[in-house]
Amino acid sequence: MNSTEKKIEEITNVINSTKENLKPLSVNFIFWGLLITLMSLLHYVYPSLIQSTQYSARLFWIVLPSIGMLITIYYNIKVRKKTGYETYLSRVIKIIWGVFNLSWIYIIVLSFTLKSFHPVPPILFLLSVILIITGLIIKFKPITLGGLFLTIFTFYLNFNPGINLLLVNIVGVSLGMLVPGLSLFYSKSDEKIDG
């Protein structure tokens, strides 16, 4: 085997091991997909409970995701310490999702200051863009397709403002995060990731 073939084989082995290295990312997708879907379902089934006071729904949608954010930050730090190193890929993904988290906080604060502003459409659009970027970077089609699906769903939402946003969350986040996360989690580490 000449040196070029050996280098190609080494590169292929690194690419093929990427899925195993991305298992923690899949856990994040599954966690957030489940959390947002369950929260949306709970709010949809028990609206009088969630909306019992003027601010209870807003607190429900701020407190639980904030706790979820802390849980995933802790989980990701723990995984990084266990691994003992951080790759450029994991650093890029961390930065992208960190920007998403800051943008989410900004949108939530904006929704408190502008009473007529509903945070769900811009958050879903931002999430769809971040999913597409993540899917393209890690070259994993289900995540890219989940982001594209969520983009189409958000686009549809703009032309049908009367649609129930909780149902949009349930379907959009399930197909945009939960299903791709499960797909990434159960993908075999010896299969090549292809874009």
Side-chain angles (χ1 to χ4, degrees), residues 27-44 60-69 72 97 100-101 104 108 119-120 123-124 127 131 150 165-178:
V27 171
N28 286 296
F29 282 129
I30 294 166
F31 174 82
W32 282 105
L34 280 174
L35 179 65
I36 300 303
T37 300
L38 291 174
M39 286 178 64
S40 300
L41 191 58
L42 184 63
H43 193 160
Y44 182 74
F60 176 75
W61 284 100
I62 292 172
V63 172
L64 290 179
S66 296
I67 292 169
M69 203 179 292
T72 52
W97 285 94
F100 172 80
N101 290 336
W104 175 80
I108 294 299
V120 171
I123 288 173
L124 286 178
L127 177 60
L131 286 169
L150 201 52
L165 293 176
L166 296 170
L167 294 177
V168 170
N169 257 354
I170 291 168
V171 174
V173 173
S174 292
L175 296 176
M177 291 191 81
L178 185 57

Side-chain angles (χ1 to χ4, degrees), residues 124 128 131-132 141-156 167-177 180:
L124 286 178
S128 71
L131 286 169
I132 291 168
K141 283 182 184 177
I143 292 174
T144 306
L145 292 174
L148 288 170
F149 172 79
L150 201 52
T151 302
I152 293 166
F153 217 68
T154 307
F155 184 75
Y156 176 77
L167 294 177
V168 170
N169 257 354
I170 291 168
V171 174
V173 173
S174 292
L175 296 176
M177 291 191 81

Side-chain angles (χ1 to χ4, degrees), residues 68-85:
M69 203 179 292
L70 293 174
I71 290 169
T72 52
I73 288 170
Y74 173 76
Y75 168 76
N76 290 316
I77 289 171
K78 188 176 170 184
V79 166
R80 201 170 307 116
K81 282 183 180 177
K82 182 180 176 186
T83 306
Y85 63 89

Side-chain angles (χ1 to χ4, degrees), residues 92-106 126 130:
V92 167
I93 298 297
K94 179 178 73 173
I95 290 169
I96 289 169
W97 285 94
V99 169
F100 172 80
N101 290 336
L102 291 174
S103 301
W104 175 80
I105 291 168
Y106 170 77
L126 178 64
I130 297 297

